[in-house]
Amino acid sequence: MNGLVRVRGLVKHHGHGESLVRAVDDVDLEVPEGQTLAVMGPSGCGKSTLLHLLGGLERPSRGEVWLAGRRIDALSERALARMRRRSVGFVFQAFHLVEELSAAENVELPALLAGQSRREARRRAGALLDRVGLAGRARHLPSQLSGGQCQRVAIARALANDPLVVLADEPTGNLDTTATLDVLRIFQELRSAGQTLVIVTHDERVAATADRLVSMRDGMFVDDLRLAGTGTSTGSGRLGGLIGLES
Ligand code: ADP
Ligand code: MG
């Protein structure tokens, strides 16, 4: 196996006895560098748990999680936190921005926590906000931004430390169609730039822009499809074109 992200025999149980839930139930997965993987499945099938395991937010009950050739499931808490900060970018449905901080300060935070200078963190935050189309909103607080703008700030924040992989959990779940398309365009651009992405989604428009679609049910993978967009340099591909992302 040579995937950037790989898991083997991954199991995550919650609770025990009669209340035991097999949130992830013996999953093998390999995500090559540069791949955009979409994960779909009904509510409660284990998508968020899988994402948390991939990014070291939760530890598996059994099995192995590897990131860039390093086994992460057995790291100490401290090493795991450091790995998350430096190597993983998380994007959540509910944005999870710090409400007291401006857009720019939110984006600077991961770089500062990783030990970057204030100046370098600020420079990088400026460039990232520009990349997500929010250069003019750097000083705004989250409460002064729309949901779509907040999610774009959250994506910029996820990119702050140039992560090996971006893990997004229902990133458009709280967004209207216009904001969803804005976020999709950013993911498309990241994909074109070679960013490895795993996106959990209920939205077929989002899934259609991926290289690959895995379907989950009851903690297991029931389907693993290559999508038509694979290998296109524009990152939009045929399915992307069908849903109006070529422009
Ligand atoms: P999805 O993201 O696909 O909706 P989750 O990964 O959130 O699914 O949850 C998978 C299953 O694990 C669900 O049955 C859920 O109730 C259960 N679960 C998730 N987290 C916990 C937890 N911390 N404690 C107990 N059960 C949990
Ligand atoms: Mg979930």
Side-chain angles (χ1 to χ4, degrees):
M1 295 206 295
N2 60 3
L4 180 79
V5 179
R6 46 193 173 103
V7 307
R8 220 198 287 242
L10 196 66
V11 173
K12 179 66 177 182
H13 292 166
H14 292 295
H16 51 268
E18 297 214 334
S19 64
L20 180 80
V21 175
R22 298 173 198 278
V24 171
D25 196 6
D26 196 10
V27 157
D28 296 310
L29 174 67
E30 199 169 330
V31 185
E33 187 172 4
Q35 184 170 75
T36 295
L37 170 70
V39 180
M40 294 189 91
S43 186
C45 74
K47 305 181 297 295
S48 294
T49 304
L50 175 69
L51 218 57
H52 295 167
L53 293 168
L54 294 183
L57 279 177
E58 291 186 60
R59 289 180 193 271
S61 306
R62 277 206 303 276
E64 302 174 3
V65 183
W66 296 74
L67 181 61
R70 184 180 186 206
R71 186 165 173 188
I72 65 165
D73 57 277
L75 292 175
S76 68
E77 279 306 317
R78 196 178 157 167
L80 195 61
R82 187 181 147 97
M83 183 285 304
R84 279 197 305 265
R85 247 186 342 253
R86 292 177 183 250
S87 304
V88 184
F90 290 99
V91 179
F92 301 99
Q93 177 171 359
F95 322 136
H96 293 322
L97 297 176
V98 181
E99 293 294 329
E100 295 76 22
L101 297 182
S102 69
E105 289 164 340
N106 268 282
V107 179
E108 286 168 23
L109 205 52
L112 293 175
L113 290 172
Q116 290 274 14
S117 70
R118 188 160 288 278
R119 187 176 162 176
E120 175 56 20
R122 185 160 302 169
R123 188 199 62 73
R124 176 121 177 104
L128 286 168
L129 284 174
D130 192 30
R131 191 166 173 190
V132 299
L134 290 175
R137 298 287 188 279
R139 300 198 175 283
H140 287 57
L141 294 171
S143 60
Q144 298 169 317
L145 299 171
S146 69
Q149 290 171 335
C150 284
Q151 193 60 301
R152 282 146 68 195
V153 173
I155 293 170
R157 178 184 58 183
L159 298 170
N161 290 329
D162 199 12
L164 293 169
V165 62
V166 172
L167 304 175
D169 196 353
E170 309 270 10
T172 62
N174 282 353
L175 304 182
D176 63 21
T177 292
T178 308
T180 293
L181 293 179
D182 286 342
V183 163
L184 269 183
R185 277 192 198 95
I186 294 168
F187 283 136
Q188 293 277 48
E189 195 219 288
L190 291 175
R191 175 178 173 241
S192 299
Q195 176 71 58
T196 310
L197 281 159
V198 180
I199 308 175
V200 165
T201 187
H202 280 301
D203 189 331
E204 286 171 6
R205 295 170 300 184
V206 178
T209 65
D211 299 304
R212 175 181 174 197
L213 170 61
V214 162
S215 302
M216 273 186 92
R217 199 147 308 208
D218 298 332
M220 290 180 273
F221 292 165
V222 292
D223 223 342
D224 189 346
L225 296 172
R226 302 276 146 182
L227 298 183
T230 307
T232 58
S233 59
T234 61
S236 48
R238 192 172 60 82
L239 285 169
L242 288 176
I243 59 171
L245 289 167
E246 299 284 33
S247 56

